[in-house]
Structures are given as structure tokens and as C-alpha cells.
Amino acid sequence: MSGRILLVDDIAANRVMIRAKLASAYYDVLVAETAEDVHRLVRAEQPSVVLINVTMPTLDAFGLCHDLKSSWETALTPIVMMTSVDDAEDRLRALEVGADDFLVKPIHDLALFARVRNLMRMKFVTDELQLRAETTRELGLDSAPAGIDDIVLTPAHSVLIAAPDHLSGAAWVKAIRDKLAVQVDFVTNEADMANRIAADVPDAFVVHQTLADSGDGLRLISTIARRQPTRHSALLFLVSDNDMSTAAKALDLGAWDYVMPPHDLTELAVRLRSQLRRKLYSDMLRTNLRDGLRLAAIDPLTGLYNRRYADHHLVNMLTQARSEGSDLALLIFDLDRFKSVNDSYGHDAGDEVLRQVARRLQETVRGVDVVVRLGGEEFCVALPGTSRKGALQVAERIRRAIADQKFEIGTRDPIVCTASFGVAVSIAGADNVQQLLTAADRALYKAKAGGRDRIATAWDD
């Protein structure tokens, strides 16, 4: 994940202070003072976040934000606007022209770092989806989506609010419905929320810090963000205690945005509109990708990507890792003594084991990770932005997901299966694809030779 931030400010003291804060957290900070420099650097350096000072006499900060968000090349680049005056009109104006947040100086370190982490994480997911779409186009498949500006909200789109009481819930429903023309409803406790999600997953959630049944909004945020049915829904958090540490914790738990008290309904609607459009754009990328790849690049047995797709996409992933200065980890594993499963139980049972392995894989890795069936009982997982330590942790989670739970095959006896893993990491995308694959493959053979059901690494050679 890129740690590159573009700071736009014409006051040297501000640049020095903010740059020092960000550098202390190991972010690479670029600086610009003119709109021309900003446009050039955003396109050339592809920063993860742009920070813009509102009060610059030589630059129209709102116009610059609008221009960046109106261009298809830069529309998804997160922008945070900063000001020394906490003015509600300026905050709404910034959000209206596309800013992702509006921070007031002196900027609280906790607020700055939490928001930067949050926006980087969201951009990372969207960038990976766009990269996969580019791969499908290069494979000759039609998966080019419309731009985010083409997203139109309709009553077919839905929002569910977890409110502290019926009066607040009803007021928020009316305000959002009037301003966004989407379907909106509310609940006041976690049990009702769970029942509603089971019936139909909304496009967005708005969660208050405190619920009517003394429920914990932070716990609910965490649950929504990590569960498979709801992990792609937009997620806004309404802070009730006016504590920035609470807002920061919500972002780290998976919230997409937050609103501090007093909860201005216009601001809530504007922030929700932006996050809904982002969510729907990501959905469109996923749908186009799935439809374009279904026949050409998806393994029909497991639903995972196939070898043809992986060979092409890994090149794109390494190129992006190199441009961002980030790592790319690769896990290759295969199921131990899988031939005996086919011989003892039949090929139908073996196919079912492979399907269940694929499901366990998808439940274990992140949405940005690329999971591939290379052929037979051999699989590959590409982990962008992942260090050696992180890669080993993921490999161990997958190993246990396979070994610790038997495979239920109809009325037959459950099947016990294990897997051996080879792990390689391209530091800052330095290797080429063949080098990375070869290194992981050699590590896999070491794991096999070492007794199976284990993990071996390329860097221990």
C-alpha cells in the first residue's frame, strides 16, 4: 500500500509542521503550491491522499478539489481539506465539491492519522478493482465501467440506520430520503439490525455510537465491516461523545466516514451520498469483472481465477507494487497426498474437497487478495502490500483452515486433508513474475520434503 501523500499549502510553517507529523509515521510527503503542480504530481506520482489548505490566496482550493474529482484520472484520489476556521458553510462546500473530509487546524494527530489510514485503505481496494478490470481488458474482455460521476442514486438503493431512539431515527430517515431520494429505514437495537440484514443487505449503514438497548455502536461497526454479506456496504458512524479518539477507533474498525456532534442533517446526507456512490462504483467494477471473466478466466469447478488470468494479472500487480514502493507476497500451496482422496473416495468427492478449499480460502483472505487455482490441487494467493511477516500469518491461517476442519462429503465419512505452502515476497516489487513464482515453488518443494502440512519460505534458502 502506497504511503505517498501530497500536501498543498503555500505557507512554509504549515508545510513543515504537517510534513513532520506525517514523516514521523513513515509517510512519503510531496509538496505543491500551485494548481498546475498539483495536477502534475497527482498524475505522475499517484499519491494515496491529497491534503489541501483551504485558505490560500494564490489558489482556489474548492475549485482545485472540484477539478480533481471531475477528472476520470483523479476522481478516486482521496482529498482532505484543511482550514484554521471551523465554518459549517465551508465544510459543506468542501464536501459538495468532492472532498472526503474537512479537518480544522490545529489538526489533531489522532484525527489526521486515522483519516489517512482510512482513506488509504479505501483507495487501495478501489485501485485493486480497477487494476483487475485493466487486466481483463488486456485479455481482450470487455469490462470497462462507467465513471463514478455517472452513478445515480435511486429509490432502488437502500440505507439502514441504527439510531439511539425512535425520534432521532425518524428525523434522519426523512432528511436522507428527502435529500437523496433513496430507500431509508431505521432500527434502534442490534437484534433488529441482525434481522434486517438477514432479510436484505442495504447499500449503506448509518450507525450511532449508542443504541436504544444500550448497544455499542463501535461493536456493531466492527461486526458489519468484517462479515461477508455486509463487508462491501458503505458504513457511516455518528459520534455521540464528541471525542476524536472514538471517531478514529470507528475508522480503524471499518467505518468509511464519521460525523461529529451536533449531527447536521445536511452534512450527513452529503457524506452519505459520497460514500454510496463510492460503494456503487466498486459494485459496478466487481460486477463487470465477474461477468467479463466468468468464461475466460474463472476456474469452473471452484469459481477462483485460473492460471491464464494469474499469469497476466501478476505482471500488473508487480508493476503497481514497484511504482508504489510496496511489497507483493505470493503463496503457492497444494493439498497433501490428494491422489489418495480421489483413489479412496472417487473424483466427485475430490472435486467437492477442492470446492470447499476454495470457499475456505475466500473466507480467510482479504477482498484485495487474488486467489487462483493453478491446476489440479495446486492453488496460489497473491497478497498486495504484504510483508514477509504478514505473508506467513496469512499462510498459517489458510493452513489451519484446511487442516483443522474435516471436509464433509455427503453421507460418506469426513475427509481429513492438509496442505503444504511455499511463500515468497517481492520487496517493493523488485522481482519479475517468473522469479517470484519460481521462488515460491521452490519453497513449496521444501515444505513437501520437510514432512508436509507446513510452511516454507523462499528467504530461508
Side-chain angles (χ1 to χ4, degrees), residues 38 81 96 137 167 182 228 230 273 304 324 331 364 384 429 438 442:
V38 172
M81 303 191 77
E96 289 283 5
R137 287 194 291 275
L167 187 63
V182 295
Q228 183 68 31
T230 54
R273 181 182 61 199
L304 303 178
E324 295 179 346
L331 318 179
T364 304
T438 299
R442 286 175 178 168

PDB file of all heavy atoms in Angstrom, residues 38 81 96 137 167 182 228 230 273 304 324 331 364 384 429 438 442:
ATOM      1  N   VAL A  38      -0.097  20.548  -8.603  1.00  0.00           N
ATOM      2  CA  VAL A  38      -0.967  19.510  -8.036  1.00  0.00           C
ATOM      3  C   VAL A  38      -1.413  18.540  -9.122  1.00  0.00           C
ATOM      4  O   VAL A  38      -1.294  17.308  -8.969  1.00  0.00           O
ATOM      5  CB  VAL A  38      -2.192  20.144  -7.346  1.00  0.00           C
ATOM      6  CG1 VAL A  38      -3.178  19.052  -6.927  1.00  0.00           C
ATOM      7  CG2 VAL A  38      -1.758  20.955  -6.140  1.00  0.00           C
ATOM      8  N   MET A  81      -9.491  18.416   3.001  1.00  0.00           N
ATOM      9  CA  MET A  81      -9.287  19.861   3.028  1.00  0.00           C
ATOM     10  C   MET A  81      -9.084  20.309   4.464  1.00  0.00           C
ATOM     11  O   MET A  81      -9.721  19.795   5.391  1.00  0.00           O
ATOM     12  CB  MET A  81     -10.460  20.581   2.369  1.00  0.00           C
ATOM     13  CG  MET A  81     -10.688  20.116   0.930  1.00  0.00           C
ATOM     14  SD  MET A  81     -11.853  21.133  -0.012  1.00  0.00           S
ATOM     15  CE  MET A  81     -10.835  22.549  -0.395  1.00  0.00           C
ATOM     16  N   GLU A  96     -19.393  19.109  -0.827  1.00  0.00           N
ATOM     17  CA  GLU A  96     -20.166  19.185  -2.070  1.00  0.00           C
ATOM     18  C   GLU A  96     -19.274  19.085  -3.302  1.00  0.00           C
ATOM     19  O   GLU A  96     -19.680  18.537  -4.331  1.00  0.00           O
ATOM     20  CB  GLU A  96     -20.972  20.491  -2.110  1.00  0.00           C
ATOM     21  CG  GLU A  96     -22.150  20.550  -1.149  1.00  0.00           C
ATOM     22  CD  GLU A  96     -23.352  19.757  -1.636  1.00  0.00           C
ATOM     23  OE1 GLU A  96     -23.248  19.082  -2.682  1.00  0.00           O
ATOM     24  OE2 GLU A  96     -24.391  19.802  -0.960  1.00  0.00           O
ATOM     25  N   ARG A 137      -9.335  -6.208 -19.621  1.00  0.00           N
ATOM     26  CA  ARG A 137      -9.318  -5.530 -20.911  1.00  0.00           C
ATOM     27  C   ARG A 137      -8.108  -5.971 -21.725  1.00  0.00           C
ATOM     28  O   ARG A 137      -8.189  -6.171 -22.937  1.00  0.00           O
ATOM     29  CB  ARG A 137      -9.321  -4.012 -20.714  1.00  0.00           C
ATOM     30  CG  ARG A 137     -10.653  -3.451 -20.256  1.00  0.00           C
ATOM     31  CD  ARG A 137     -10.716  -1.942 -20.391  1.00  0.00           C
ATOM     32  NE  ARG A 137      -9.830  -1.269 -19.455  1.00  0.00           N
ATOM     33  CZ  ARG A 137     -10.174  -0.975 -18.204  1.00  0.00           C
ATOM     34  NH1 ARG A 137     -11.365  -1.301 -17.750  1.00  0.00           N
ATOM     35  NH2 ARG A 137      -9.319  -0.342 -17.412  1.00  0.00           N
ATOM     36  N   LEU A 167     -37.273   8.877  17.816  1.00  0.00           N
ATOM     37  CA  LEU A 167     -37.392  10.256  17.355  1.00  0.00           C
ATOM     38  C   LEU A 167     -36.227  10.625  16.436  1.00  0.00           C
ATOM     39  O   LEU A 167     -36.436  11.181  15.350  1.00  0.00           O
ATOM     40  CB  LEU A 167     -37.428  11.202  18.566  1.00  0.00           C
ATOM     41  CG  LEU A 167     -37.717  12.673  18.253  1.00  0.00           C
ATOM     42  CD1 LEU A 167     -39.110  12.822  17.634  1.00  0.00           C
ATOM     43  CD2 LEU A 167     -37.618  13.513  19.539  1.00  0.00           C
ATOM     44  N   VAL A 182     -33.420   7.991  -1.783  1.00  0.00           N
ATOM     45  CA  VAL A 182     -33.155   6.559  -1.683  1.00  0.00           C
ATOM     46  C   VAL A 182     -34.090   5.965  -0.631  1.00  0.00           C
ATOM     47  O   VAL A 182     -34.743   6.686   0.117  1.00  0.00           O
ATOM     48  CB  VAL A 182     -31.686   6.291  -1.286  1.00  0.00           C
ATOM     49  CG1 VAL A 182     -30.737   6.770  -2.376  1.00  0.00           C
ATOM     50  CG2 VAL A 182     -31.339   6.937   0.054  1.00  0.00           C
ATOM     51  N   GLN A 228     -19.059 -11.285   5.802  1.00  0.00           N
ATOM     52  CA  GLN A 228     -19.097 -11.408   4.351  1.00  0.00           C
ATOM     53  C   GLN A 228     -20.293 -10.707   3.700  1.00  0.00           C
ATOM     54  O   GLN A 228     -20.119  -9.977   2.714  1.00  0.00           O
ATOM     55  CB  GLN A 228     -19.073 -12.893   3.965  1.00  0.00           C
ATOM     56  CG  GLN A 228     -19.041 -13.164   2.478  1.00  0.00           C
ATOM     57  CD  GLN A 228     -17.739 -12.729   1.833  1.00  0.00           C
ATOM     58  OE1 GLN A 228     -16.693 -12.761   2.476  1.00  0.00           O
ATOM     59  NE2 GLN A 228     -17.783 -12.324   0.580  1.00  0.00           N
ATOM     60  N   THR A 230     -22.006  -8.115   4.499  1.00  0.00           N
ATOM     61  CA  THR A 230     -22.091  -6.662   4.652  1.00  0.00           C
ATOM     62  C   THR A 230     -20.758  -5.940   4.466  1.00  0.00           C
ATOM     63  O   THR A 230     -20.708  -4.716   4.566  1.00  0.00           O
ATOM     64  CB  THR A 230     -22.633  -6.316   6.057  1.00  0.00           C
ATOM     65  OG1 THR A 230     -21.821  -6.964   7.052  1.00  0.00           O
ATOM     66  CG2 THR A 230     -24.064  -6.781   6.211  1.00  0.00           C
ATOM     67  N   ARG A 273     -24.103  10.482   0.571  1.00  0.00           N
ATOM     68  CA  ARG A 273     -24.176  10.425  -0.891  1.00  0.00           C
ATOM     69  C   ARG A 273     -22.820  10.044  -1.484  1.00  0.00           C
ATOM     70  O   ARG A 273     -22.741   9.201  -2.375  1.00  0.00           O
ATOM     71  CB  ARG A 273     -24.625  11.783  -1.437  1.00  0.00           C
ATOM     72  CG  ARG A 273     -24.740  11.803  -2.972  1.00  0.00           C
ATOM     73  CD  ARG A 273     -25.140  13.182  -3.469  1.00  0.00           C
ATOM     74  NE  ARG A 273     -24.138  14.179  -3.101  1.00  0.00           N
ATOM     75  CZ  ARG A 273     -24.364  15.480  -3.078  1.00  0.00           C
ATOM     76  NH1 ARG A 273     -25.563  15.961  -3.384  1.00  0.00           N
ATOM     77  NH2 ARG A 273     -23.403  16.323  -2.745  1.00  0.00           N
ATOM     78  N   LEU A 304     -12.660 -19.793  -8.644  1.00  0.00           N
ATOM     79  CA  LEU A 304     -11.481 -18.952  -8.461  1.00  0.00           C
ATOM     80  C   LEU A 304     -10.920 -18.535  -9.817  1.00  0.00           C
ATOM     81  O   LEU A 304     -11.282 -19.082 -10.855  1.00  0.00           O
ATOM     82  CB  LEU A 304     -10.401 -19.709  -7.683  1.00  0.00           C
ATOM     83  CG  LEU A 304     -10.789 -20.245  -6.301  1.00  0.00           C
ATOM     84  CD1 LEU A 304      -9.620 -21.019  -5.693  1.00  0.00           C
ATOM     85  CD2 LEU A 304     -11.223 -19.115  -5.381  1.00  0.00           C
ATOM     86  N   GLU A 324       4.614   1.932  -6.377  1.00  0.00           N
ATOM     87  CA  GLU A 324       4.237   2.412  -5.048  1.00  0.00           C
ATOM     88  C   GLU A 324       5.322   2.160  -4.012  1.00  0.00           C
ATOM     89  O   GLU A 324       5.232   2.653  -2.882  1.00  0.00           O
ATOM     90  CB  GLU A 324       2.947   1.738  -4.584  1.00  0.00           C
ATOM     91  CG  GLU A 324       1.722   2.094  -5.415  1.00  0.00           C
ATOM     92  CD  GLU A 324       0.470   1.381  -4.926  1.00  0.00           C
ATOM     93  OE1 GLU A 324       0.615   0.419  -4.125  1.00  0.00           O
ATOM     94  OE2 GLU A 324      -0.629   1.776  -5.327  1.00  0.00           O
ATOM     95  N   LEU A 331       1.813 -16.799  -2.166  1.00  0.00           N
ATOM     96  CA  LEU A 331       1.739 -18.115  -1.541  1.00  0.00           C
ATOM     97  C   LEU A 331       1.358 -19.129  -2.604  1.00  0.00           C
ATOM     98  O   LEU A 331       0.394 -18.918  -3.347  1.00  0.00           O
ATOM     99  CB  LEU A 331       0.669 -18.159  -0.438  1.00  0.00           C
ATOM    100  CG  LEU A 331       0.539 -16.983   0.531  1.00  0.00           C
ATOM    101  CD1 LEU A 331      -0.595 -17.258   1.513  1.00  0.00           C
ATOM    102  CD2 LEU A 331       1.839 -16.747   1.263  1.00  0.00           C
ATOM    103  N   THR A 364     -10.899 -16.562   4.235  1.00  0.00           N
ATOM    104  CA  THR A 364      -9.715 -16.335   5.060  1.00  0.00           C
ATOM    105  C   THR A 364      -8.922 -15.103   4.618  1.00  0.00           C
ATOM    106  O   THR A 364      -8.309 -14.428   5.451  1.00  0.00           O
ATOM    107  CB  THR A 364      -8.797 -17.576   5.018  1.00  0.00           C
ATOM    108  OG1 THR A 364      -9.544 -18.715   5.434  1.00  0.00           O
ATOM    109  CG2 THR A 364      -7.592 -17.410   5.934  1.00  0.00           C
ATOM    110  N   PRO A 384      -1.146  -8.241  -2.160  1.00  0.00           N
ATOM    111  CA  PRO A 384      -0.516  -6.932  -2.369  1.00  0.00           C
ATOM    112  C   PRO A 384      -0.291  -6.200  -1.055  1.00  0.00           C
ATOM    113  O   PRO A 384      -1.074  -6.335  -0.107  1.00  0.00           O
ATOM    114  CB  PRO A 384      -1.520  -6.191  -3.261  1.00  0.00           C
ATOM    115  CG  PRO A 384      -2.827  -6.862  -3.000  1.00  0.00           C
ATOM    116  CD  PRO A 384      -2.519  -8.292  -2.694  1.00  0.00           C
ATOM    117  N   GLY A 429       8.268  -4.770  -5.026  1.00  0.00           N
ATOM    118  CA  GLY A 429       8.039  -5.201  -6.411  1.00  0.00           C
ATOM    119  C   GLY A 429       9.309  -5.347  -7.220  1.00  0.00           C
ATOM    120  O   GLY A 429       9.312  -5.118  -8.425  1.00  0.00           O
ATOM    121  N   THR A 438       8.911 -18.856  -9.211  1.00  0.00           N
ATOM    122  CA  THR A 438       9.934 -19.890  -9.024  1.00  0.00           C
ATOM    123  C   THR A 438      10.354 -19.973  -7.564  1.00  0.00           C
ATOM    124  O   THR A 438      10.514 -21.069  -7.006  1.00  0.00           O
ATOM    125  CB  THR A 438      11.157 -19.597  -9.912  1.00  0.00           C
ATOM    126  OG1 THR A 438      10.753 -19.614 -11.286  1.00  0.00           O
ATOM    127  CG2 THR A 438      12.247 -20.633  -9.692  1.00  0.00           C
ATOM    128  N   ARG A 442       9.841 -23.289  -5.254  1.00  0.00           N
ATOM    129  CA  ARG A 442      10.939 -23.984  -4.586  1.00  0.00           C
ATOM    130  C   ARG A 442      10.677 -24.120  -3.092  1.00  0.00           C
ATOM    131  O   ARG A 442      10.984 -25.146  -2.485  1.00  0.00           O
ATOM    132  CB  ARG A 442      12.244 -23.221  -4.819  1.00  0.00           C
ATOM    133  CG  ARG A 442      12.805 -23.366  -6.235  1.00  0.00           C
ATOM    134  CD  ARG A 442      14.028 -22.494  -6.420  1.00  0.00           C
ATOM    135  NE  ARG A 442      14.606 -22.653  -7.753  1.00  0.00           N
ATOM    136  CZ  ARG A 442      15.534 -21.871  -8.270  1.00  0.00           C
ATOM    137  NH1 ARG A 442      15.997 -20.832  -7.562  1.00  0.00           N
ATOM    138  NH2 ARG A 442      15.999 -22.092  -9.490  1.00  0.00           N
TER     139      ARG A 442
END
